Amino acid sequence: MISRIIRSPILSRSFATHAGSNVALPAVLHLKTGQSFVGRSFGAPKSIFGETVFSTSITSYTESMTDPSYRGQILVFTTPLIGNYGVPLNKTPVDSKDVGVVLESQNIQCSAVVVADVAEKFSHHSAVESIASWCHRSGIPGITGVDTRAITRLLRDQGTTLGRLAVGADASASSPTPGQYWDPTTENLVDQASTKTPYELNPTGDVKIAVLDFGAKANIFRSLVRRNAAVTVLPWNFDFNSVRDQYDGLFLSNGPGDPAHCTDAILKLRKTLQEWDKPVFGICMGHQIIGMAAGLDAYRMTFGNRGHNQPVLALASSGSIRAGRVYVTSQNHQYALKLSDPFPEGWEPFFINCNDSSVEGIKSTTKSGKKVWGVQFHPESAGGPLDTIEVSYSSFVMLTGNSW
């Protein structure tokens, strides 16, 4: 059993164009399972509890850190070097081409960041600050100089684990007792991440789409408005049935935490699926909500799937998706739908994960007369591969009746 890892000093790099923030305070990552990893702090000089998870993403650390699905989590990057291309100015116009932010939300969403080697210098034409400066300004602590390979192996073998990142004077204190660790999944993180009031994007668009916001990534909205959809973003528990006749389709977004906290949304969606014949599409949390409304159960995975390299096998054809093909996808989730036999009447599996056989998508059958489907992965990526961008295209084709 690994109890403590101390990383050797790293030689300074000298080929970047901008200086980063000072990395000085001691820091320790404690896991509830008993292991501790000693390193150095970067970012905010504060200690924090959270759920320790790992991402196998090679790039797009800024997009991952601003993804609301990471809310409450201590994010471990398996890629050794993080921060080398800095952080861009996170602001764009709100129009038919963009939605106000460059990244996936306005702020960093994860609770803390764990990296093997943080880039103290950065270089990129769009960068305005270092990751250390960004985290410090945002109140997010980080630790560098730890063996993220060892941490990842532990999380993979024993499962996602509660943790505490202790910084500064707290780093010399004893490990927390098991009862002191905070479990974010006991809270309704979706309610924290969702919009509180409805708002519109691209209101003059050709097709009207309602989005139930469970903690949506900005690129979902961006993908819709760039295809000239008029988007109305609604709180996660909004009664869509009271306004559904105003819309051409319903979209359910990704979001953080346990879908069991979203019973209110599941019951309302069940009525929508029974009474409404227009298209419904869900991603990640939205996919789980659709599945639970259809009668499937959700379960907590051992360590979840987080990264931009998850292979999925298409079990059915839809639009440009062809049964029998393998697609590489971008994912971030801890929960999944159970594969049941028989499947609920009127439904069929759409995708399955090639690594762990978890359900990656479901869809209504042709016989059901419905146009409903959901995918566990992010077809719009950001970051990640574009193998499944056709799912987004196909959904829009079904919503508008048009094609390209």
Side-chain angles (χ1 to χ4, degrees), residues 65-337:
M65 290 168 63
T66 53
D67 180 351
S69 292
Y70 279 113
R71 191 176 185 89
Q73 297 179 336
I74 299 173
L75 177 55
V76 180
F77 286 104
T78 61
T79 298
L81 177 62
I82 295 293
N84 55 307
Y85 55 84
V87 179
L89 180 65
N90 191 23
K91 188 175 182 180
T92 64
V94 178
D95 55 25
S96 61
K97 299 297 182 182
D98 226 317
V99 294
V101 292
V102 173
L103 304 177
E104 295 310 297
S105 66
Q106 189 63 54
N107 304 304
I108 298 176
Q109 298 288 336
C110 58
S111 294
V113 181
V114 181
V115 303
D117 183 9
V118 70
E120 298 179 40
K121 297 180 180 180
F122 65 91
S123 181
H124 192 274
H125 69 90
S126 66
V128 297
E129 63 182 327
S130 68
I131 186 174
S133 171
W134 185 39
C135 287
H136 189 280
R137 180 172 58 82
S138 304
I140 304 298
I143 184 173
T144 185
V146 294
D147 189 344
T148 52
R149 295 171 299 176
I151 298 172
T152 300
R153 289 188 64 180
L154 284 169
L155 298 177
R156 185 187 62 196
D157 295 342
Q158 67 192 20
T160 296
T161 304
L162 300 181
R164 173 172 169 80
L165 180 55
V167 177
D170 292 342
S172 59
S174 300
S175 302
T177 63
Q180 290 177 316
Y181 284 90
W182 169 65
D183 184 356
T185 63
T186 61
E187 299 184 7
N188 189 343
L189 300 178
V190 164
D191 189 59
Q192 297 175 21
S194 176
T195 183
K196 303 305 179 187
T197 57
Y199 64 93
E200 293 184 336
L201 296 167
N202 193 35
T204 60
D206 293 335
V207 57
K208 298 188 69 174
I209 309 299
V211 176
L212 287 180
D213 176 19
F214 294 93
K217 291 173 60 180
N219 202 45
I220 290 175
F221 303 136
R222 195 178 293 119
S223 297
L224 290 171
V225 300
R226 286 182 178 177
R227 292 170 176 81
N228 205 28
V231 177
T232 302
V233 184
L234 304 171
W236 70 276
N237 56 353
F238 188 90
D239 185 7
F240 173 69
N241 292 300
S242 65
V243 296
R244 66 191 186 195
D245 292 340
Q246 302 175 25
Y247 295 96
D248 301 305
L250 173 64
F251 191 101
L252 289 80
S253 83
N254 66 294
D258 187 344
H261 290 298
C262 299
T263 302
D264 191 15
I266 293 169
L267 295 176
K268 290 173 180 174
L269 179 64
R270 185 170 295 165
K271 181 179 180 181
T272 303
L273 298 180
Q274 292 170 348
E275 301 176 354
W276 205 55
D277 292 328
K278 293 182 180 180
V280 179
F281 184 30
I283 286 178
C284 202
M285 175 67 76
H287 156 72
Q288 295 165 23
I289 299 300
I290 291 174
M292 295 172 76
L296 293 169
D297 294 324
Y299 69 98
R300 180 181 172 86
M301 304 177 75
T302 302
F303 52 80
N305 290 325
R306 298 176 179 86
H308 302 156
N309 47 11
Q310 290 289 324
V312 302
L313 172 67
L315 302 180
S317 297
S318 178
S320 299
I321 300 299
R322 293 290 175 262
R325 286 193 60 182
V326 172
Y327 300 84
V328 180
T329 66
S330 175
Q331 300 189 23
N332 174 15
H333 64 102
Q334 184 71 49
Y335 294 83
L337 294 175

Side-chain angles (χ1 to χ4, degrees), residues 277 345-347 363-372:
D277 292 328
E345 184 178 358
W347 297 88
K363 63 185 290 291
S364 56
T365 62
T366 302
K367 185 178 179 180
S368 72
K370 301 289 185 176
K371 299 177 181 179
V372 185

